[in-house]
Amino acid sequence: MKTGNNYNTNQMTLEISLQFRPESDHPASLINDFIDSLNIAKNYIFGRPQVYSSPALLKLILFAYSRGV
């Protein structure tokens, strides 16, 4: 009987294409354009230093919210 595993335990790398660009009417593009148009300049100054910018985190949150995550 076949178990149906969809993974390879010998895989040592994960290739991710960084050249992907969504269509102009895709929600990711619309959210990106909207946040870029806000010109968010203030950085969060409390706590430890941020690794990611505030606009990038806002884009991620809005995209996740649009997908029900």
Side-chain angles (χ1 to χ4, degrees), residues 31-44:
I31 291 169
N32 182 58
D33 294 342
F34 173 68
I35 299 301
D36 287 345
S37 72
L38 295 178
N39 294 324
I40 299 172
K42 292 185 178 181
N43 290 327
Y44 185 75

Side-chain angles (χ1 to χ4, degrees), residues 4-65:
N5 293 338
N6 293 323
Y7 57 88
N8 178 357
T9 57
N10 295 321
Q11 182 177 352
M12 299 302 285
T13 61
L14 176 64
E15 295 181 24
I16 299 174
S17 174
L18 300 177
Q19 301 303 319
F20 174 76
R21 297 283 180 230
E23 302 288 328
S24 61
D25 60 343
H26 190 277
S29 292
L30 300 174
I31 291 169
N32 182 58
D33 294 342
F34 173 68
I35 299 301
D36 287 345
S37 72
L38 295 178
N39 294 324
I40 299 172
K42 292 185 178 181
N43 290 327
Y44 185 75
I45 59 173
F46 301 102
R48 62 183 195 195
Q50 279 188 323
V51 177
Y52 303 103
S53 68
S54 296
L57 291 174
L58 183 56
K59 290 174 188 179
L60 180 64
I61 291 168
L62 291 176
F63 184 72
Y65 182 77

